[in-house]
Amino acid sequence: QQIITAYDSLLLRMSPNPATGETTLTIQSSSEKEIVDVNQEWDFEIYTQSQILKAKKSRLKGSSTVINTAGWQEGVYVVRALYNNEVITGKLIVKR
């Protein structure tokens, strides 16, 4: 399980990572002062290493979503989440 912090207040967690069939993408707060608002809509995009858009979801509610990676090529993908006007990035590894 890998945690990548892009900002002081929010981080993106993917579990399991590396993923084989699916992974859960979760936005978490790294400080106890700030909590993730489950009513705040957010979006994410996942790109291949060659910057091709592989997956995208918009207007998500809650702090997590499941991503199906079955059939994806093995490799490293860049995950970009937009939450409350903040961009949080992370790397997702897909293994077969």
Side-chain angles (χ1 to χ4, degrees):
Q1 183 169 323
Q2 184 177 0
I3 296 176
I4 298 170
T5 305
Y7 288 89
D8 292 338
S9 59
L10 295 172
L11 53 89
L12 208 50
R13 193 183 82 180
M14 286 154 273
S15 178
N17 193 5
T20 52
E22 66 178 32
T23 188
T24 302
L25 176 65
T26 308
I27 294 178
Q28 289 184 321
S29 176
S30 58
S31 82
E32 293 178 16
K33 295 178 198 127
E34 187 174 343
I35 55 168
V36 175
D37 180 358
V38 294
N39 295 313
Q40 173 73 42
E41 289 186 345
W42 59 285
D43 308 337
F44 80 80
E45 297 172 338
I46 300 177
Y47 292 91
T48 64
Q49 286 175 309
S50 17
Q51 298 302 306
I52 296 167
L53 184 64
K54 185 72 181 173
K56 177 180 183 171
K57 282 190 187 174
S58 299
R59 302 183 70 149
L60 294 164
K61 293 269 194 169
S63 61
S64 66
T65 186
V66 174
I67 301 160
N68 184 351
T69 61
W72 291 20
Q73 284 189 330
E74 205 169 83
V76 179
Y77 294 82
V78 176
V79 181
R80 247 180 114 249
L82 180 63
Y83 172 86
N84 202 19
N85 296 322
E86 277 189 69
V87 176
I88 315 157
T89 58
K91 285 194 168 60
L92 171 65
I93 299 159
V94 174
K95 295 242 186 223
R96 287 286 140 249

